[in-house]
Amino acid sequence: MLVLKFGGTSVGSVENFRKVADIVRDTEGEKIVVLSAMSGVTNTLVQIASLLEANRPENALTLIDELNQKYLDVARELLESDEAYYKAQIVLKKHHQTLISVSSEEFNSDQEKIVLAQGELVSTNLFQLYLEDIKEDSVLLSALDFMSIDKHGEPKTEVIRERLGKILSNYQSSIYITQGFICRNANLHIDNLKRGGSDYSASLIGAAVRAEQIQIWTDIDGMHNNDPRFVDSTFSVSEMSFAEAAELAYFGAKILHPQSIIPAQENNIPVLLLNTFKPESKGTLIHNKASVRKIRAIAAKDNITAIKIKSYRMLMAYGFLKKVFEVFEAHKTSIDMITTSEVAVSLTIDNTEKLEAITNDLQGFGNIEVDTDLSIICIAGDIAQNKKGITSAIFEGLKDVPIRMISYGGSNYNLSFLVKTSDKIAVLNLLNESLFPELSTAPV
Ligand code: ADP
Ligand code: ASP
Ligand code: MG
């Protein structure tokens, strides 16, 4: 079994739906096709939800109608037979009605999740109808029947495996289609795996069926050595280890959802990143036999807040850090980076929902300073501490950039440091020049 996940751009237009169908047809064997919402749709659904939350149902209804019209236009152009178009109209009407009825009810977070789920539900339905229209046999599975998370938002991997296995045993097809992103939570209500979560769905499904390979088809030819949104001369990296890919995804390489590598890594399933618009390009293979390369790639994660706790009570004391960590644990906020000196500790977080409560609780420990608008720059590669010259190679080119924190030695695959977000683009470009001087001849 293979898992093929296609992102928003890949199913963003009639032409692209056709491209995806070609790729699926050209791929031999049994496969589960995981689709995102059409590009831009989840953003529109987020907007609809915000308007409903702000008690502006008329404005929400305008967007709901526009979205419905967009879907109808796509369906009309995509589906040749009247029968398929008729079926699409019925499906679209149902989703339109769902959004309208949510708009007339009192809005809460359950409603928000129902709204967000509509994007993937529609794209998979349209794709299945298209395959039917071109006489390609397929089965549409609802992710809501097997994709399950617990009360902490963590996937219930055993439940997913068992349910999906049972569902698949009812059919015999070579193409199964299902939604990325959406799931059911501990209350069995509709929920999601957070923005960009379709990659995570694909990886969880791959792990559940013990797939041979998980393919992530997107709009770029694999993982690049640096963020192509901010650096011009980047190149596709042909292979990397799970550890490197996990660090890069976690620290901002948007091509992969932060948690998506873990299920593949745990089950040793290779992940291949491919380009829907250039299916012949090799892409990036993420597997456990990747060759070793000192510096593999660079990524940046924004919206970081640093908290510094300065206290002379730390001097020679034990148990201080435990108490600090307990505050973050109590507020369910995870810490990304940490550095300490004898009288101060600096931590970073990316979720600031509980920042005020956290700083209030920390007041008793000493003097608290909060710094916002920061970015973590992550350098992934085989950066073991026993290798010489790596840190100087990294920092030599950054002489003029103020660096707020450095984290090195935590893992063999990552060196990360904190800068002001306003310096991020310059830092990514400077590092590209100093760490990949061979850019004209892309390395393996
Ligand atoms: P999809 O909709 O297919 O999930 P995304 O937009 O989530 O696609 O991810 C693909 C995008 O990730 C690319 O278009 C690119 O701009 C961005 N990106 C950021 N960092 C990297 C990187 N290191 N390598 C490749 N793409 C990256
Ligand atoms: N449609 C969702 C989003 O835009 C999930 C995904 O595309 O991965 O975030
Ligand atoms: Mg994505």
Side-chain angles (χ1 to χ4, degrees), residues 55-66:
N55 205 10
R56 288 165 58 193
E58 286 80 27
N59 302 75
L61 282 170
T62 310
L63 290 183
I64 291 169
D65 289 344
E66 279 171 14

Side-chain angles (χ1 to χ4, degrees), residues 36-37 42 120 181 195-198:
S36 290
T42 308
E120 273 70 13
F181 182 56
R195 294 304 305 269
S198 297

Side-chain angles (χ1 to χ4, degrees), residues 5 7-8 36 195-199 216 218 254-257:
K5 177 259 170 179
S36 290
R195 294 304 305 269
S198 297
D199 303 325
I216 307 283
T218 181
K254 188 187 173 235
I255 187 167
L256 285 173
H257 176 279

Side-chain angles (χ1 to χ4, degrees), residues 303-323:
N303 298 317
I304 302 295
T305 297
I307 302 168
K308 188 191 271 177
I309 306 144
K310 224 165 153 185
S311 166
Y312 285 97
R313 274 193 286 144
M314 245 180 104
L315 208 64
M316 317 285 280
Y318 55 84
F320 184 84
L321 281 179
K322 175 171 181 268
K323 288 180 197 136

